[in-house]
Amino acid sequence: MDIHAIRCFQRVFEKESIHQAAKDLCLTPQGVSRIITALEGEMQTPLFVRSRKGMEATPEGRYFYEHTQELTRQLLDLQLGMQALKRKKAGLHIGFSCGVLNILSIHVLKDVMARHPDKSLEWVEDFNEKIVQLIAEDSLSCGFCIGPIRSDAFFQEEIYRTGIEAVIYEGHPFYDRPSITIEDLKGQPLVGLNEHFSLFHSLVRRCADFGFTPQFVVKTMESRLIYHFCQERVGIGIDVNIHAAPPPLRYVPITEGTPWRIFFVCKKEKRGEPLFQEIIAALTSRHHP
């Protein structure tokens, strides 16, 4: 019994018609009829009652249909898994933490991969912790994460760094300041990304160094909402200066803050792979002239 015959049977069952099933499967009605006849011979029982109205499943046919549904799903999962393994062997699978693609250009990676036509490039964007997990599981070849990973299992190379800045609305006492300090944030209503993002945790840890907990009145999943709520004067925004702050909002650097850093990350045993070294060299030369 082959999967093609089972799928042909299922389509006839669902359409209750040889001709409709043949049309869907791009086969001739005679070809579909031969497949069903052969399958009935293999099962040693009729699966359909043929009439002018169409193909009516016998009790055996209904039983066969119900039990082959899960089988075909499992076979499809198997096929997809085998294809994924094949792609993994021949390709490079890269993860990007949310926000990284605002800085790193995918075109730089494509330029590197163009020198390796035997390898394909696939990439995914997700939260920092998810990218690290997928690298650890070997579901990703490597990734670009925000902030250092606190584990000896990984090789990490800094690609980019910048400071954390405040987004200030016009009329706020800090608006015309050239910079503010971490302690200036004490008691201020803040608007920023939520706990899924390393930026949140970096600021919380740095404020703890100065003996206070920052007061976030809005924690969001989307950077654009930081600027929306700042325009509404809900509070001071906390972000990295990688977006264009819409006027009259302005960025004000936060001195003493923890730098926002992007790292290339892979499992430690893979650190010597020549392709990884090419990628690191291409990106560091672009971002650290």
Side-chain angles (χ1 to χ4, degrees):
M1 185 190 314
D2 67 50
I3 188 63
H4 177 68
I6 293 174
R7 286 174 177 156
C8 185
F9 160 80
Q10 291 172 338
R11 193 57 55 89
V12 173
F13 182 96
E14 291 160 358
K15 296 293 184 178
E16 298 183 330
S17 166
I18 291 280
H19 284 79
Q20 284 298 319
K23 184 178 179 181
D24 288 354
L25 296 168
C26 297
L27 298 172
T28 65
Q30 295 82 2
V32 172
S33 183
R34 282 195 296 270
I35 290 170
I36 296 301
T37 299
L39 193 56
E40 289 177 323
E42 189 173 353
M43 294 293 101
Q44 298 183 356
T45 186
L47 299 175
F48 294 100
V49 175
R50 296 157 176 80
S51 69
R52 290 183 178 180
K53 294 182 179 179
M55 303 289 285
E56 181 181 350
T58 63
E60 293 83 359
R62 288 192 293 272
Y63 179 88
F64 187 73
Y65 179 81
E66 291 169 4
H67 285 76
T68 55
Q69 287 291 92
E70 180 60 26
L71 175 62
T72 51
R73 280 194 292 267
Q74 290 176 350
L75 286 171
L76 178 59
D77 288 343
L78 178 61
Q79 290 173 340
L80 293 173
M82 295 294 286
Q83 291 169 7
L85 285 172
K86 184 178 179 181
R87 290 196 306 271
K88 181 178 177 180
K89 185 176 180 181
L92 185 67
H93 303 265
I94 302 179
F96 293 90
S97 293
C98 295
V100 168
L101 286 172
N102 288 302
I103 297 296
L104 302 186
S105 171
I106 196 72
H107 297 294
V108 175
L109 295 174
K110 287 182 176 179
D111 289 342
V112 173
M113 297 305 294
R115 298 193 289 271
H116 301 271
D118 58 318
K119 291 185 176 294
S120 60
L121 172 64
E122 293 184 12
W123 57 275
V124 64
E125 186 179 32
D126 213 317
F127 294 121
N128 226 40
E129 61 267 26
K130 184 63 174 180
I131 297 299
V132 174
Q133 177 190 338
L134 292 173
I135 295 171
E137 294 173 351
D138 283 324
S139 297
L140 290 174
S141 312
C142 59
F144 293 92
C145 299
I146 300 170
I149 309 304
R150 290 172 171 80
S151 170
D152 293 335
F154 300 100
F155 165 73
Q156 306 174 64
E157 179 84 17
E158 184 176 307
I159 300 296
Y160 176 86
R161 73 161 56 196
T162 190
I164 296 174
E165 306 205 12
V167 184
I168 311 293
Y169 55 83
E170 191 173 24
H172 191 282
F174 296 163
Y175 188 77
D176 293 317
R177 296 261 295 266
S179 64
I180 62 175
T181 67
I182 287 290
E183 288 189 292
D184 285 329
L185 298 178
K186 187 175 183 179
Q188 290 287 335
L190 304 180
V191 179
L193 296 172
N194 66 20
E195 291 88 345
H196 282 292
F197 298 86
S198 63
L199 184 60
F200 172 86
H201 297 286
S202 294
L203 186 71
V204 169
R205 285 194 296 266
R206 195 67 181 120
C207 290
D209 292 338
F210 288 82
F212 71 96
T213 301
Q215 180 187 339
F216 279 93
V217 293
V218 175
K219 292 183 285 186
T220 179
M221 297 277 287
E222 299 183 51
S223 291
R224 66 178 182 82
L225 291 179
I226 296 174
Y227 302 89
H228 169 75
F229 287 114
C230 285
Q231 287 176 320
E232 296 292 322
R233 301 188 173 207
V234 172
I236 293 174
I238 302 295
D239 201 10
V240 182
N241 189 352
I242 57 177
H243 309 97
L249 298 179
R250 65 181 295 260
Y251 286 113
V252 176
I254 302 173
T255 62
E256 306 164 333
T258 302
W260 188 81
R261 297 186 288 168
I262 298 174
F263 287 82
F264 172 88
V265 180
C266 68
K267 294 180 81 170
K268 186 169 286 186
E269 60 267 26
K270 297 181 179 179
R271 64 181 297 174
E273 291 197 15
L275 182 54
F276 290 176
Q277 297 305 313
E278 279 189 59
I279 290 170
I280 292 170
L283 289 170
T284 52
S285 65
R286 179 184 177 91
H287 296 287
H288 295 287

